[in-house]
Amino acid sequence: MFENLSESLSGKNPLSMHADCENCFGLCCVALPYAASSDFATDKDAGQPCQNLQADFRCGVHDSLRQLGFRGCTVYDCFGAGQQVSQITYRGRDWRQAPESAKQMFEVFPIMRQLHELIWYLSEALTLESARQIHADLRLALDETTRLTCLSPDSLIKLDVAAHRADVNVLLLRTSELVRDEACRKHKGPPVRQKAQGRGVDLIGTNLKGADLRCANLRGAYLIAADLRRADLRAADLIGADFRDADLSGANLTESIFLTQAQLNSAKGNADTKLPPSLSHPIHWLSPGCNVKSKKI
């Protein structure tokens, strides 16, 4: 499906770009700051190694992060930017071996993460048949974004990533319109577009249990702690939607678009939650004590 640069990113299909911590220098554990909150047990400044980071760049408490108050670590996803920066941009030379490069590496990492996130969305858009009329433009944008990930550290820091995101977003918005419009035309029954929809809509704590949200525009929606049990979210645009502590138990997200693993990791759910094939049920959904139904999937 993908041609030229979009065939491969550091030898990987863009659609399989998941964090590979074994080939990363623990960049998310050092480069990013966090503050004591419900997501983190302590404060940490950008560039300061996490107290749990070991000499081999692995997390010393990985299996107990939630229990120890580091839930934020379990919902973060770099989209493969960590291994790209570690093994490609800096050619396998880590910030401990070359401390003079540490500050620059930590600045490059969040830029690379944004580029990889765009590659994820563009790659998904190219799988959507409803958006076939703009596939050529999407492919060009994917090739260009992939090219940018191969820039030198100095060039990456100078990159106007916000401007590039804005250009890509035009295509993603058009993709969303095409997919949702076609899905609505195929839908037979009562109208599915409801009032409480739209980009950035505040639905914090809202009871949407069993709601028909097919074809909804929920880009950037605030769905924190919303009750979405058994809601139908097929063909809904979920890019940037905040699902922290939202209950997705039994919800149908199989044909939703621009959903990420990090969004699912921040939510509640169970084995009956239906997901797109590229995503998986978070471990904490299926573990005892999570207040969700648990069974083999």
Side-chain angles (χ1 to χ4, degrees), residues 16 94 288:
S16 64
D94 66 65

Side-chain angles (χ1 to χ4, degrees), residues 119-134:
I119 289 173
W120 178 276
Y121 292 139
L122 287 166
S123 299
E124 179 180 343
L126 278 164
T127 70
L128 301 171
E129 183 60 22
S130 301
R132 58 192 173 278
Q133 64 182 267
I134 61 168

